[in-house]
């Protein structure tokens, strides 16, 4: 990705781990053959869980209010798609639409903010941690969106439609 985009610095990002899914799932199929869940779903869950634990180790509990701001963007209908070959600068442009995301990475000291690659990786880590917390979802194509709210028995299935939803952003 860095070579294709002419970036001087090569920085791995959490999204890059998803490129290794075929090799990860091959191993999981051997270990969990016959599981009903499926190897790919297990691998995706492991990646998200690792991101969540890494985020917590960096002090994730201390930024709960900012995490709420990030989730609010998606709860309001915002969607974010970052392509796996997107440059760090393009990714940061997209992350800038998500209220509080860049601020969380700075407050926790995630990455080097003089480096677009490290900033992009830090933002992806926060989003993946929110997936692990079940506050966001991540599609196979790499887009982040709101988590489906958990319904209580007897709760209606129709939600209120909102006007003025944030824009979707695709890089």
């Amino acid at each position: 990705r860095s070579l294709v985009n002419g970036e001087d610095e090569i920085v791995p990002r959490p999204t890059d781990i998803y490129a290794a899914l075929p090799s990860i799932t091959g191993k999981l199929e051997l270990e969990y053959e016959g599981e009903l869940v499926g190897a790919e779903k297990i691998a995706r869950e492991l990646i998200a869980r690792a991101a969540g634990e890494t985020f917590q180790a960096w002090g994730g509990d201390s930024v709960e209010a900012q995490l709420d701001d990030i989730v609010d963007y998606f709860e309001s209908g915002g969607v974010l798609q970052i392509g796996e070959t997107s440059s760090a600068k393009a990714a940061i442009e997209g992350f800038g639409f998500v209220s509080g995301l860049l601020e969380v990475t700075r407050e926790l000291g995630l990455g080097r903010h003089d480096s677009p690659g490290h900033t992009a990786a830090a933002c992806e880590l926060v989003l993946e941690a929110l997936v692990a917390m079940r506050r966001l979802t991540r599609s196979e194509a790499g887009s982040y969106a709101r988590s489906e709210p958990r319904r209580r028995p007897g709760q209606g299935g129709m939600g209120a439609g909102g006007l003025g939803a944030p824009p979707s952003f695709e890089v």
Side-chain angles (χ1 to χ4, degrees):
R1 177 186 55 239
S2 296
L3 295 174
V4 168
N5 290 306
E7 296 175 333
D8 294 332
E9 186 176 35
I10 297 172
V11 179
R13 300 195 317 230
T15 301
D16 298 330
I17 299 169
Y18 288 97
L21 275 178
S23 62
I24 294 170
T25 57
K27 174 65 174 162
L28 288 174
E29 286 175 24
L30 293 174
E31 297 291 328
Y32 294 99
E33 189 171 334
E35 279 289 321
L36 296 175
V37 175
E40 186 164 325
K41 184 168 181 156
I42 293 170
R44 289 179 179 282
E45 178 67 27
L46 289 172
I47 293 167
R49 202 178 303 172
E53 289 181 18
T54 301
F55 178 73
Q56 291 302 322
W58 277 86
D61 290 334
S62 67
V63 290
E64 188 63 35
Q66 289 98 322
L67 294 180
D68 289 342
D69 289 344
I70 295 167
V71 173
D72 285 347
Y73 169 83
F74 295 99
E75 289 287 330
S76 300
V79 176
L80 178 65
Q81 168 89 36
I82 303 295
E84 59 187 44
T85 59
S86 297
S87 71
K89 280 185 158 188
I92 292 168
E93 183 180 332
F95 295 140
F97 281 92
V98 181
S99 179
L101 180 55
L102 291 167
E103 291 78 11
V104 165
T105 64
R106 285 187 192 101
E107 187 167 322
L108 292 179
L110 293 170
R112 290 186 0 243
H113 289 281
D114 62 337
S115 160
H118 284 90
T119 300
C123 288
E124 283 186 15
L125 177 69
V126 172
L127 293 173
E128 291 293 329
L130 287 167
V131 170
M133 294 176 209
R134 306 267 191 263
R135 295 185 70 185
L136 296 180
T137 61
R138 182 183 194 283
S139 73
E140 288 182 26
S143 67
Y144 296 94
R146 72 181 183 91
S147 245
E148 288 299 317
R150 292 192 176 137
R151 303 218 187 281
R152 292 185 205 129
Q155 192 178 26
M158 298 297 291
L163 296 176
S168 296
F169 190 83
E170 185 171 336
V171 176

